[in-house]
Amino acid sequence: GLDKFMFTLVQVLMQDSFQTIVREAMYFLPWAWVFFYAYMAVGCLVLMNLVTAIIVENAMEQSQQDHAQRLRDKTVKERHVVKHLEKLFKAMDSDENNTVSWMEFEAAFQDPEVMNQWLLLDFRPDDLSELFTFLDDGTGEIATSDFFAGLLRMKGQAQGKDVYRLQTAVDLLAEDLGNFMAEHG
């Protein structure tokens, strides 16, 4: 009956006594080997593709979860850095006008608590003048937005667009200098 037939098919798929079963079937149907070989080929291909699909699907799902977790971790870290920078800016802005002058900036490095916060951001007292020059937009004061944007950019790694922007600025300066030298030189 059907139960014996299904048992035989499973035996064939698992390659259990395969040759004996085929030889007995060929006694009644000489071309029976074609059916058994086709069944094994399809069964093995389907089974292997199914297993492969499950493995790949799980790997893709895990990769997406890892990516999402890295994004969450990065967001949390950025929020922490921004809060840290807000505290630092408020500590330096003694007149509370949302800008930091050179005097306020320099005085902040005298305060041990503010100094420790700068050290946590990997800035040393030797970097004081250079840092103010980088963050100042030419007004002699650092606005809140310039402070955050500048320090967040300095804190991370240089990206390709940052290097390109720098290279473009250097090229423009070199061209301007060449023009100036040609006119006055």
Side-chain angles (χ1 to χ4, degrees):
L2 185 59
D3 57 337
K4 288 182 183 178
F5 180 70
M6 291 303 293
F7 179 76
T8 302
L9 289 178
V10 170
Q11 255 186 312
V12 170
L13 188 59
M14 299 298 178
Q15 298 178 354
D16 178 29
S17 306
F18 165 67
Q19 291 81 13
T20 309
I21 296 168
V22 173
R23 281 198 170 89
E24 288 179 20
M26 285 177 57
Y27 178 74
F28 298 103
L29 292 167
W31 52 269
W33 65 272
V34 174
F35 172 74
F36 283 103
Y37 280 119
Y39 176 75
M40 283 182 48
V42 170
C44 288
L45 285 175
V46 168
L47 185 63
M48 291 309 294
N49 282 337
L50 182 63
V51 168
T52 302
I54 290 171
I55 291 171
V56 168
E57 184 180 340
N58 286 338
M60 293 293 291
E61 186 177 315
Q62 188 64 38
S63 173
Q64 289 173 348
Q65 288 175 355
D66 289 348
H67 181 69
Q69 184 61 42
R70 282 194 306 269
L71 286 176
R72 285 191 296 272
D73 291 347
K74 184 178 178 182
T75 302
V76 167
K77 184 177 178 183
E78 285 177 359
R79 278 192 211 134
H80 179 70
V81 168
V82 167
K83 284 182 182 179
H84 189 76
L85 291 176
E86 284 176 354
K87 280 180 29 182
L88 183 60
F89 189 84
K90 286 179 182 177
M92 291 189 315
D93 187 16
S94 59
D95 60 4
E96 298 179 3
N97 64 349
N98 290 330
T99 61
V100 175
S101 67
W102 169 249
M103 291 175 60
E104 289 174 316
F105 196 77
E106 191 175 31
F109 275 84
Q110 306 305 320
D111 181 359
E113 183 180 326
V114 174
M115 183 62 180
N116 285 334
Q117 290 178 9
W118 279 111
L119 291 173
L120 288 173
L121 292 171
D122 293 328
F123 289 103
R124 307 279 177 254
D126 304 344
D127 304 329
L128 181 66
S129 176
E130 184 180 31
L131 180 60
F132 188 85
T133 303
F134 284 150
L135 297 176
D136 180 20
D137 60 359
T139 61
E141 292 185 332
I142 303 170
T144 308
S145 59
D146 295 336
F147 182 79
F148 287 119
L151 284 181
L152 286 174
R153 282 211 177 262
M154 285 184 213
K155 190 70 181 139
Q157 295 179 346
Q159 296 178 351
K161 63 182 178 182
D162 297 324
V163 174
Y164 178 75
R165 191 177 298 127
L166 180 63
Q167 181 62 44
T168 304
V170 168
D171 290 344
L172 289 173
L173 285 172
E175 184 179 327
D176 289 346
L177 182 61
N179 292 340
F180 179 79
M181 294 298 286
E183 290 175 8
H184 298 92

